[in-house]
Amino acid sequence: MQNAKTKSATPTAGVPSPAVPRHVAIIMDGNGRWAKKRGQPRLAGHRAGADALRRALRACRNHGVEYLTVYAFSTENWVRPKLEVTGLMRLLKTFLKKDEHELHENGVRLRVTGRIGDLPPAVRAELERVMEATKDHTRGQLILALSYGGRAEIADAARSLAADAAAGRLDPAAIDEAAVASRLYLPDVPDPDLLIRTSGECRLSNFLLWEASYSEFVFTEVLWPDFGEDDFAAALAEYARRQRRFGAPS
Ligand code: IPE
Ligand code: IPE
Ligand code: MG
């Protein structure tokens, strides 16, 4: 980990941002409300949400977005009713089984960010199998945030740095932004350029606290299961209109 490639904390100021984001992160929210509107159980909303994820992945391919990170389950979501949690875990396993071939066909590598050890062993095993099977794909990355919390990620990074410092392997004075970034869950992944949240909520809910420090945010009223390729294109168009400054003068 210590030698892992570190990402620069802030991109070079003044450099115009490419029109297409390299990394899009999505807070896929609104599955429950979508189901409620139809008088269906929440799990039906989550199932429809999985289809929306398939569409988003296809949209990334069509637009040339290299990394897609999706918030699928937060560290806080464990408080949900057991039936919903087990249903979501089952859905995740089904998604991996059904869509693995798509990942191979399109050269997409699957990765996970979060405390993967919290997941049920069978889900974890399936994730690890698909991650291993896709690890050499280089055309894109699908990153599932599972049992993910931004604060947990930063706390885990701090603990890892502290352990090295206590063992005399690391000088505390040498701990800078790059050192912290190097201990995050996926240190080689560039920070998200664009962060989308569906369902009208305008908050981060503990998603990518460190990585999103200079992301462009797009909030939409559309509920996640209704989010289609045109909504994705609209978010990209909004992103292309933004001027990113990274602290430099306008
Ligand atoms: C997002 O949809 C999916 C997860 C958090 C797993 P929600 O389940 O939060 O849907 P709402 O917000 O209740 O509508
Ligand atoms: C955030 O949505 C987590 C995911 C989308 C997985 P939540 O629905 O859990 O967020 P809050 O509770 O409304 O902030
Ligand atoms: Mg929600």
Side-chain angles (χ1 to χ4, degrees):
M1 271 303 263
Q2 205 169 356
N3 294 325
K5 214 174 88 206
T6 58
K7 54 190 160 190
S8 61
T10 307
T12 317
V15 173
S17 42
V20 177
R22 188 172 178 210
H23 183 178
V24 173
I26 306 181
I27 302 175
M28 311 184 289
D29 199 13
N31 296 352
R33 279 162 283 169
W34 183 91
K36 195 174 176 193
K37 261 174 47 183
R38 285 166 175 71
Q40 290 175 10
R42 293 180 63 84
L43 267 177
H46 295 316
R47 252 195 308 277
D51 288 332
L53 173 56
R54 293 180 177 102
R55 290 196 294 272
L57 200 51
R58 199 175 325 126
C60 283
R61 213 157 57 230
N62 294 342
H63 290 277
V65 172
E66 208 179 321
Y67 298 86
L68 174 65
T69 298
V70 290
Y71 208 4
F73 197 86
S74 74
T75 46
E76 288 75 34
N77 288 148
W78 291 109
V79 304
R80 294 194 179 197
K82 195 165 179 276
L83 209 65
E84 182 173 357
V85 172
T86 52
L88 277 165
M89 295 298 151
R90 203 172 336 108
L91 201 58
L92 176 59
K93 258 174 59 192
T94 313
F95 178 83
L96 293 169
K97 279 200 173 37
K98 276 221 273 204
D99 289 67
E100 183 185 356
H101 74 99
E102 281 252 5
L103 299 175
H104 292 307
E105 279 162 27
N106 297 295
V108 176
R109 177 179 180 188
L110 180 84
R111 301 178 82 179
V112 171
T113 184
R115 290 181 168 165
I116 193 173
D118 293 350
L119 301 172
V123 175
R124 186 178 166 173
E126 188 62 11
L127 279 166
E128 276 166 353
R129 188 186 65 71
V130 180
M131 284 195 286
E132 177 64 25
T134 61
K135 73 177 191 314
D136 294 325
H137 294 340
T138 55
R139 268 183 279 155
Q141 297 198 9
L142 170 62
I143 300 163
L144 302 177
L146 289 167
S147 196
Y148 176 86
R151 288 184 173 183
E153 180 177 32
I154 294 168
D156 288 351
R159 191 180 323 103
S160 147
L161 290 166
D164 277 3
R169 290 188 295 266
L170 179 67
D171 176 2
I175 299 175
D176 56 9
E177 290 184 21
V180 176
S182 76
R183 304 298 173 103
L184 298 177
Y185 296 141
L186 301 175
D188 60 300
V189 173
D191 289 340
D193 302 292
L194 169 63
L195 192 150
I196 301 169
R197 184 171 189 150
T198 56
S199 86
E201 310 296 353
C202 300
R203 54 177 172 262
L204 268 180
S205 301
N206 204 12
F207 191 41
L208 303 179
L209 296 183
W210 178 282
E211 297 87 337
S213 63
Y214 266 100
S215 302
E216 294 295 327
F217 288 15
V218 168
F219 297 106
T220 168
E221 294 290 325
V222 177
L223 301 174
W224 177 246
D226 290 328
F227 195 83
E229 292 194 48
D230 48 343
D231 298 302
F232 193 90
L236 290 194
E238 169 67 32
Y239 173 82
R241 286 193 290 273
R242 301 271 177 92
Q243 194 198 0
R244 303 182 77 187
R245 285 194 281 277
F246 304 107
S250 56

